[in-house]
Amino acid sequence: MTISTADRNLPISPMRYDPRFQVETKADNFDLASAFGLVRRRVIMIMTITVLLMVPAAIVISELKPAYQASARLIIRQPLATSLGVDDTSPGGPIDVKSETERLLSRSIAERVVRELRLNVLPEFNPALRKISFIDRIRAKLRGLFDTKKPTLPVGDNLDATIREYYQALGVWHGDKSEVIQISFTANDAELAATVPNRLVSIYLDERKGSVSGRLVSAEEWIRHRVTEQQTRANVARNAVRTYQESMDIVSIEDAQDERIKSLLELTGREGKIDERRVEVKATISTLEGTDNASAAVQNIVVPDSIATKQRDLHAQEQDLARLLQTYDGSAEAVVDLRGKIQQSRTDLDLATKQYLQTMRAKLAALDHEANALQSILADDRKKRTRDALAQTELTRLQRIADKEQSTLDKLEDQRRDLAAKAMLPGAELEVFSPASVPLTPQGRGRLFYLVGALLAAISAAATAAFVIEMSDRTVRSFDQIAGMGRAIPAGLIPRLARWENPKTMFEHMPVPMFDEAIRTVVLSLKQSNGGKLPSSIVVTSAHSGEGKSLVARSLAIELAAAAIPVLLVDGDLRRGKLDSFFRPELMYGLNEFLNGQADLRDIVYRHPSGIDFIPSGRFSLRRRTRLNGLAEIIEMAGTAGQVVIFDSAPVLVSTDTVHLTALAEKTLAVVRWGKTSRRAVEFSLQQMKSSRNSEIVVAINNVNPKRHALYNFSDSELFSKSLVKYYSVKS
């Protein structure tokens, strides 16, 4: 291996040097080219998944048998005679379609169909008679891994299993806006597919008739029992009416009403007359008692003729006195005599009036006594009428109860006669629009159609899986993916070594063109990132172990040594370093002994025949370190000798020694494994290694598969030439 630069301190040119690999940031657009590239990258996985899915699908499709389906269309109505009663003139209509559909799917009808058509002896409907397929064996084994219970084997005459298969092949339905019921059946035998619906209809009629007859017999027995009980209640009610009427001695309604009206009118008339007379007597007494002048009092009331005569005589005498006083003086004898007569007339009138007043008072007392007697008679009559009304009300209630019981008895008798008539009718009437006929062609598609469909589905599932895997891939495959991670300088893509290219054979100078060219590119990137000259100290590290950092470090040392540049390769992985196994095994001292003060610096530096000085890691059991500045001494010693120090350091995320070492070294080379290291790990490791001196970190992507890398739509996909890719493909 040779490079054109002889002195690492000699600048390439006085101009400014930009990184060789310019990162082009692309939008994450998914176009047809990306999809085609995805398929090309995952074609093996897609083919594998497709084959794995197609094998069981092909087995299942090969076991498919042609299925024939026959159907019958019918409508179920109530018998017309059931609606021809005396009080019902409506035409017979369809019965409840949902109920009849469920009756067609009943267990009793299914058992009769299975037994009469001997479906339980057909392997198609009896799982116990079938041969266990390969898929079923696999399913049983998988089930046995999770279910410890031993599965029960199907019995040869197991009717339940046959009925389950029968229900799966049977279809009974009706439209939402139609009363037509459709019955379909699917079977491998075309004649059997047509026989089952027709036989199902005939069995349904038998079952329907038997069900209706049984219901009618039960209902008639119940009605008869009810009629007997109701007859007893009606007789009891009629006897109660008759007994009550006899015990209360209740006459007929018309006679009682006439007698009650006559008595009421007579008593009411008498009471009115008495009241009128009492009012008149009270008025007369009040008038007579309210004044002292009997002559003035009798003028306003009706009095007997004797009192009226005396009143007229007194009035005539007073008129005569008035005429005499006009002619004679008051002391005249005629005047005095007439005044004596007038006084005597007044005395007689007062005496007659008082006697009449006593008579009126006696008459009023007689009227009061008669009124009280009449009130007593009316009260007795009222009580009698109230008692008669209550008795009549109770009698009416008892008669109403008797009529109600008799009406109920009449209805029950009508129902009994109706049930007896309906028992002579069929359970339902069927109108078959189209009976099931033998189908001529099988149902569904052929095996080729299902095979092609399964193939397309398998390819779609495989492509979907590839797409999901591709979209969930968060590993680094190009510098485009780490373009936004701070000041990371791309150093190049390092192809993976083939199986026959053992890393230990590199010291024998076996040519590996693509790998050698990639290492030269990394060296050139280190120079360009360092102002045009090779750094005096380089730390080669990675985020995790197993990403090829040691291979890159050794390859850089070999490349520089081949260019006559003094190199000191230091195994900085103090716990898992294996540099001595590549150069000289079983060395006595190493970096661990130097840092712990058990060896001097000149005791740990070894020289390889290739011209490379190296320092192994030493024993891993040593922990305590006394020379904390030992790494700086190594860098200073190498600088004095004009050597380039290359540290094969431990992974950043594993050891903190690497962070300390990157702060001392001039440049840091981070190695990322193509298709393995995640972007998150790269970003975190770059953040850990950045310092004021080492602000820009050179990143190299290792173990790149050139053939697969060319299938991605990255800006560096065409980095490897087609001739080198072809050469690499032939060698691998």
Side-chain angles (χ1 to χ4, degrees), residues 21 62-63 95 148 160 196 231 273 295 349 460 499 540 620 654 707 722:
F21 294 94
S62 64
E63 294 178 355
I95 57 180
T148 57
D160 293 336
V196 171
Q231 183 68 50
K273 291 178 180 181
S295 176
L349 180 61
S460 301
R499 298 176 183 176
V540 182
F620 304 148
V654 175
K707 188 175 181 180
K722 294 183 179 180

Side-chain angles (χ1 to χ4, degrees), residues 514-727:
M514 289 185 66
F515 188 83
D516 294 345
E517 185 65 26
I519 295 300
R520 295 190 188 99
T521 302
V522 173
V523 173
L524 185 58
S525 297
L526 289 171
K527 284 186 178 182
Q528 290 177 339
S529 65
N530 197 38
K533 63 180 180 178
L534 197 65
S536 60
S537 57
I538 303 171
V539 176
V540 182
T541 184
S542 61
H544 301 288
S545 60
E547 298 183 3
K549 62 174 182 59
S550 299
L551 175 63
V552 174
R554 294 194 304 270
S555 300
L556 288 176
I558 294 172
E559 181 64 28
L560 295 179
I565 298 177
V567 179
L568 175 60
L569 181 60
V570 181
D571 191 352
D573 193 349
L574 301 178
R575 296 181 181 179
R576 301 178 59 183
K578 298 180 180 179
L579 186 61
D580 54 351
S581 63
F582 288 91
F583 289 90
R584 186 186 301 173
E586 299 179 0
L587 297 176
M588 184 177 298
Y589 299 110
L591 185 60
N592 269 312
E593 285 78 8
F594 172 69
L595 295 178
N596 283 276
Q598 298 180 4
D600 194 33
L601 182 58
R602 60 178 178 272
D603 297 331
I604 62 173
V605 178
Y606 301 92
R607 188 170 183 82
H608 191 264
S610 62
I612 300 175
D613 292 340
F614 66 93
I615 299 176
S617 61
R619 290 180 296 171
F620 304 148
S621 59
L622 299 177
R623 297 295 182 184
R624 189 171 59 87
R625 301 168 186 172
T626 57
R627 296 184 181 181
L628 299 178
N629 59 347
L631 298 176
E633 294 179 8
I634 294 175
I635 295 174
E636 184 179 358
M637 180 201 70
T640 303
Q643 293 178 320
V644 176
V645 184
I646 300 176
F647 288 94
D648 180 11
S649 179
V652 179
L653 303 181
V654 175
S655 175
T656 57
D657 296 337
T658 303
V659 179
H660 176 67
L661 185 58
T662 55
L664 299 176
E666 190 173 355
K667 278 295 176 182
T668 300
L669 175 62
V671 179
V672 179
R673 184 165 181 174
W674 187 85
K676 181 181 179 181
T677 309
S678 64
R679 303 173 202 171
R680 185 177 180 182
V682 174
E683 183 177 8
F684 186 69
S685 60
L686 292 179
Q687 292 177 357
Q688 294 292 321
M689 292 186 295
K690 285 182 180 179
S691 62
S692 58
R693 180 181 179 184
N694 199 4
S695 60
E696 293 182 346
I697 298 175
V698 183
V699 180
I701 300 178
N702 184 36
N703 202 36
V704 180
N705 187 339
K707 188 175 181 180
R708 291 193 61 192
H709 184 71
L711 300 177
Y712 286 90
N713 191 24
F714 296 128
S715 60
D716 52 8
S717 298
E718 300 295 332
L719 178 64
F720 300 101
S721 62
K722 294 183 179 180
S723 59
L724 292 178
V725 172
K726 182 178 180 181
Y727 170 80

Side-chain angles (χ1 to χ4, degrees), residues 75-79 91-97 100 178-180 429:
I75 188 170
I76 304 175
R77 297 181 182 275
Q78 290 181 348
I95 57 180
D96 189 3
V97 182
E100 300 308 312
S178 174
E179 302 296 334
V180 178
E429 291 181 354

